[in-house]
Amino acid sequence: MILEMKNIQKQFADLEVLKDISFGVDSGEVVSIIGPSGSGKSTLLRCATFLETIDGGEIVYMGDKAAWTNDNGEAEYVGPQEMKKFRGYCGLVFQQFNLFPHYSILKNIIDAPMQVQGISKAEAESNAMDLLKKMGIADKADAYPFQLSGGQQQRVAIARALAMKPEILFFDEPTSALDPELTGEVLKVIKQLADEKMTMVVVTHEMPFAKAVSNRVIFMDGGVIVEQGDPKDVFENPQEERTKQFLSVFER
Amino acid sequence: MTFETMLSTMAGGMLKTSLIFILTLLGSLPLGMIVALLRKSKIAPIRWLISGYISIIRGTPLMLQLLVWYFGPFYLFGWNIGGWRFPAIIVAFVVNYAAYFAEIYRGGIESIPQGQYEAAQVLGYTKTQTFMRIVLPQVIKIIMPSVTNEVITLVKDTSMAFTLAYAEVFSLAKQISASQASFMPFVIAGVFYFVANYIVERIMVRIEKTMDYYQ
């Protein structure tokens, strides 16, 4: 298991966003999380990548606990020094890309490996160029984010996340901010990573993509996992009424 | 008094004006950043102290602040204030401008999207790295036009040092004009200020241009 989330609870003020969510991700697995907006998908991702703190439950990476519920019933995290290790395990690709606008494409990709992991410039650059080639945008190395299309920016963001060599890569609606004609190029890259057995968790509204690429689909609604399983089963033969309802919206 | 003497005396005053200008910037630009960061401190009393300081500085005339800094030590503590004139001017200007710069910095820092912090955090940058490498460079670009405005105001504000009878260019202009019954010193002072600000403007435009490479 790369990641195990056990009985995760998260509350914003009076709103319970995650109610006792448990799931695990195996090495090389691609998991899609689908569900209506407000169902807690993004919050779950943000908890897994430590952008939000959980209120209860357990987060385990590579068999090590990063967070757990203590005897007082409060969530407790490892100290800041150990946290670095856990942050290193996971990467996240945002809906809004969040590239650094003042850095060139190349610098966007090499800066964190150099500053955070202490990798030499030469090594970081050669890794970055390999990644950019893979993303099909090697010619953009010296450009700045504002000069790229949304699809190209998102591919840079994927390269930036991969440059840190994470064990698992999360995607938070990676194509939702893109024009329809640009979603394909980003999905193609994710598909390619799936073929290379990169462990990934993708929150998405692209149902055909989720069906084609993932090993497992999780349907979330109202802060709970309503149904999960093989994409074929979930999409073609959903068991829960709520899942049927949700999927019917996409069948047109 | 010949025109040449007038000009050279006032040029000497312009040097003192420049000294106030440069020392004020050297002090207030960094101090303003510290103030801006303290204003976001986790410790509430520090935040109150800082916002009180900014309120008072912005709510009272600089001229009054100059008088308080100069005469305050004497009236409050009975200190001998001989030789304190120039330091008092610099302290008053630095403390005043730092408050204004702090507000400009704060506006700049707050305009950086949350996503930039989150991207940096997920990549493992420390808080200091995030601020120095990701946030600050973008803040500087955003605040440049406001900073230019403030710097140009400072060139003109240095004339307030005349309140403490410091021989910068405006004080001299007043003195010479009174003693020579001539309007010429004010014309010269006006030209000096204008030329100084023209230079400042050119320099600031250049600095802004170096950051034009991204949007």
Side-chain angles (χ1 to χ4, degrees):
Chain A
M1 280 274 180
I2 300 262
L3 166 70
E4 280 178 273
M5 308 270 288
K6 296 180 192 164
N7 311 104
I8 301 296
Q9 289 167 20
K10 175 70 186 174
Q11 210 160 339
F12 290 118
D14 286 338
L15 185 68
E16 226 182 319
V17 186
L18 300 176
K19 303 169 189 164
D20 201 33
I21 295 250
S22 298
F23 77 104
V25 185
D26 269 322
S27 179
E29 208 182 2
V30 179
V31 178
S32 290
I33 303 179
I34 60 170
S37 52
S39 58
K41 306 172 308 260
S42 289
T43 307
L44 184 61
L45 236 60
R46 293 170 61 83
C47 288
T49 51
F50 307 110
L51 285 175
E52 300 282 357
T53 52
I54 56 171
D55 296 326
E58 215 171 279
I59 303 176
V60 183
Y61 273 100
M62 320 289 289
D64 288 338
K65 277 184 198 176
W68 59 91
T69 308
N70 66 18
D71 295 338
N72 300 329
E74 296 157 346
E76 201 174 310
Y77 281 79
V78 294
Q81 206 53 38
E82 218 184 324
M83 201 63 211
K84 284 184 187 167
K85 177 184 79 181
F86 287 104
R87 285 195 197 287
Y89 289 149
C90 55
L92 173 61
V93 174
F94 298 84
Q95 185 178 345
Q96 300 292 344
F97 334 134
N98 293 344
L99 294 179
F100 304 133
H102 59 306
Y103 283 168
S104 71
I105 299 310
L106 186 67
K107 177 105 170 155
N108 259 282
I109 301 171
I110 65 170
D111 197 61
M114 287 170 63
Q115 298 299 325
V116 176
Q117 297 177 331
I119 286 166
S120 76
K121 189 172 187 202
E123 194 186 336
E125 279 184 352
S126 100
N127 285 345
M129 287 315 295
D130 288 346
L131 284 167
L132 283 175
K133 269 182 213 131
K134 207 160 135 184
M135 300 292 141
I137 38 176
D139 56 325
K140 301 290 183 192
D142 296 323
Y144 282 83
F146 79 96
Q147 295 164 317
L148 270 57
S149 72
Q152 290 170 330
Q153 288 192 48
Q154 192 59 300
R155 282 182 280 159
V156 174
I158 295 171
R160 180 176 70 172
L162 287 172
M164 300 299 282
K165 299 194 165 58
E167 297 291 337
I168 178 169
L169 189 51
F170 296 89
F171 294 81
D172 189 3
E173 302 191 21
T175 58
S176 294
L178 299 175
D179 294 337
E181 72 267 27
L182 298 177
T183 57
E185 59 190 60
V186 171
L187 296 178
K188 206 178 107 195
V189 163
I190 302 175
K191 172 93 174 58
Q192 189 186 337
L193 291 173
D195 294 341
E196 293 167 13
K197 293 289 164 223
M198 178 79 207
T199 312
M200 295 186 284
V201 176
V202 188
V203 168
T204 184
H205 292 298
E206 302 282 338
M207 297 306 153
F209 167 79
K211 198 172 163 184
V213 174
S214 40
N215 310 105
R216 184 150 49 99
V217 173
I218 294 177
F219 171 66
M220 272 179 80
D221 190 22
V224 296
I225 294 177
V226 175
E227 187 165 353
Q228 63 171 314
D230 188 87
K232 247 194 148 86
D233 296 338
V234 174
F235 283 110
E236 282 162 24
N237 189 20
Q239 299 300 306
E240 301 291 330
E241 199 49 45
R242 190 66 197 88
T243 319
K244 287 176 195 166
Q245 242 176 36
F246 175 74
L247 290 174
S248 69
V249 178
F250 291 90
E251 285 165 8
R252 262 177 302 175
Chain B
M1 190 184 269
T2 63
F3 180 75
E4 282 74 24
T5 338
M6 220 181 254
L7 203 62
S8 72
T9 313
M10 290 186 64
M14 200 58 205
L15 271 180
K16 293 193 164 177
T17 293
S18 311
L19 196 61
I20 298 175
F21 173 77
I22 288 163
L23 290 178
T24 300
L25 283 187
L26 285 180
S28 61
L29 283 171
L31 182 64
M33 185 51 80
I34 294 168
V35 172
L37 293 176
L38 285 179
R39 201 182 168 152
K40 294 168 82 86
S41 161
K42 282 184 188 136
I43 305 154
I46 292 183
R47 284 200 309 270
W48 300 334
L49 202 73
I50 294 295
S51 61
Y53 150 64
I54 292 174
S55 270
I56 291 171
I57 293 295
R58 294 206 298 185
T60 58
L62 174 54
M63 207 178 272
L64 182 75
Q65 292 166 23
L66 278 160
L67 292 168
V68 168
W69 281 110
Y70 183 52
F71 293 112
F74 171 74
Y75 286 115
L76 289 174
F77 312 111
W79 290 352
N80 176 2
I81 53 174
W84 170 240
R85 188 189 310 272
F86 184 67
I89 290 170
I90 298 304
V91 169
F93 271 99
V94 167
V95 168
N96 181 280
Y97 270 78
Y100 284 94
F101 283 133
E103 284 298 278
I104 293 175
Y105 294 152
R106 186 173 66 101
I109 291 170
E110 282 172 3
S111 71
I112 302 299
Q114 195 55 32
Q116 292 287 302
Y117 291 92
E118 291 181 353
Q121 191 184 332
V122 169
L123 288 167
Y125 287 91
T126 62
K127 286 216 162 115
T128 314
Q129 283 173 329
T130 303
F131 185 74
M132 297 305 288
R133 305 188 64 81
I134 309 301
V135 176
L136 189 58
Q138 297 183 57
V139 167
I140 291 174
K141 180 183 167 87
I142 293 167
I143 65 171
M144 232 26 216
S146 315
V147 169
T148 303
N149 236 337
E150 228 25 68
V151 172
I152 285 173
T153 305
L154 173 61
V155 171
K156 294 173 289 180
D157 272 358
T158 54
S159 64
M160 301 245 197
F162 100 94
T163 325
L164 300 186
Y166 181 69
E168 45 68 54
V169 78
F170 187 71
S171 300
L172 289 177
K174 263 189 77 154
Q175 274 171 27
I176 299 171
S177 168
S179 66
Q180 304 292 313
S182 160
F183 187 67
M184 190 45 83
F186 291 128
V187 176
I188 297 172
V191 171
F192 278 173
Y193 282 119
F194 182 80
V195 170
N197 264 333
Y198 184 78
I199 295 167
V200 166
E201 232 182 285
R202 294 284 91 195
I203 292 172
M204 298 309 270
V205 164
R206 277 212 171 171
I207 297 175
E208 282 181 41
K209 276 232 171 86
T210 62
M211 290 178 284
D212 268 355
Y213 66 89
Y214 74 92
Q215 285 169 2

